[in-house]
Amino acid sequence: MQIIKYMFQPHGDERGQLVALEEVKDIPFHVKRVYFMYDTGEGVRRGFHAHRNLEQILVCIHGSCKVLLDNGHEKKIVPLEKPYEGLYVSNAMWREMYDFSSDAVLLVLASELYDESDYIRDYDEFLKYIGENND
Ligand code: TYD
């Protein structure tokens, strides 16, 4: 399984850093939705789902966390520790986010609006979906 991490260009000067993200140019899709998680409790693990169509980029813009990616055949753990690193999460990919530092802010750029029918929240159903879609 290939992990696709984007290294964004920080525009740094004596005032500090600035990262700008433009859809299609820096992000491989049109961004329809942005959300972020913060104040995540110690020991919390969240996610536990895949999507039929949604693509995402995850950026831990403050603090750190880990992401487990699972394509139904293989699992990989990706630490997110830098505000200029973006992890691409394709559709049909099971994800779990955990090990959030107390100051972690996890920003998500999403290719689609929120749609509960796009979620696969049951792991066995995910494996079945992967099998049926030959991924
Ligand atoms: P949830 O899917 O449980 O988050 P995670 O995947 O991180 O475990 O979402 C938490 C709540 O937020 C849930 O009530 C649905 C709501 N929500 C929205 O309203 N819009 C969104 O874009 C997202 C991602 C979640």
Side-chain angles (χ1 to χ4, degrees):
M1 173 168 56
Q2 198 196 353
I3 297 297
I4 302 176
K5 245 189 186 181
Y6 288 83
M7 301 303 269
F8 305 127
Q9 176 68 60
H11 300 279
D13 58 28
E14 66 285 353
R15 297 169 298 173
Q17 303 294 334
L18 184 155
V19 171
L21 303 176
E22 291 189 14
E23 59 178 6
V24 182
K25 191 172 138 208
D26 305 293
I27 301 295
F29 48 75
H30 290 282
V31 178
K32 284 201 184 155
R33 177 166 54 109
V34 173
Y35 62 93
F36 47 91
M37 285 156 249
Y38 63 99
D39 272 356
T40 308
E42 206 183 328
V44 163
R45 204 172 173 106
R46 61 186 305 169
F48 296 98
H49 61 255
H51 289 275
R52 292 179 171 81
N53 294 309
L54 185 74
E55 296 170 85
Q56 297 178 315
I57 295 272
L58 273 54
V59 189
C60 198
I61 55 172
H62 196 255
S64 61
C65 68
K66 290 197 180 82
V67 183
L68 170 94
L69 293 181
D70 176 352
N71 65 4
H73 305 289
E74 209 183 330
K75 297 177 200 221
K76 288 229 166 122
I77 291 168
V78 185
L80 291 179
E81 293 165 345
K82 303 288 181 200
Y84 50 80
E85 276 180 3
L87 173 65
Y88 174 70
V89 182
S90 67
N91 65 324
M93 185 72 77
W94 188 266
R95 87 287 313 272
E96 295 170 22
M97 294 83 79
Y98 63 105
D99 257 10
F100 288 85
S101 60
S102 58
D103 59 350
V105 181
L106 181 61
L107 176 76
V108 182
L109 308 174
S111 66
E112 303 296 336
L113 301 179
Y114 182 69
D115 175 9
E116 188 54 43
S117 69
D118 188 61
Y119 279 73
I120 306 170
R121 292 189 183 274
D122 179 84
Y123 190 72
D124 289 336
E125 193 189 326
F126 166 66
L127 293 180
K128 194 166 160 243
Y129 181 82
I130 292 293
E132 285 166 0
N133 289 275
N134 262 339
D135 280 351

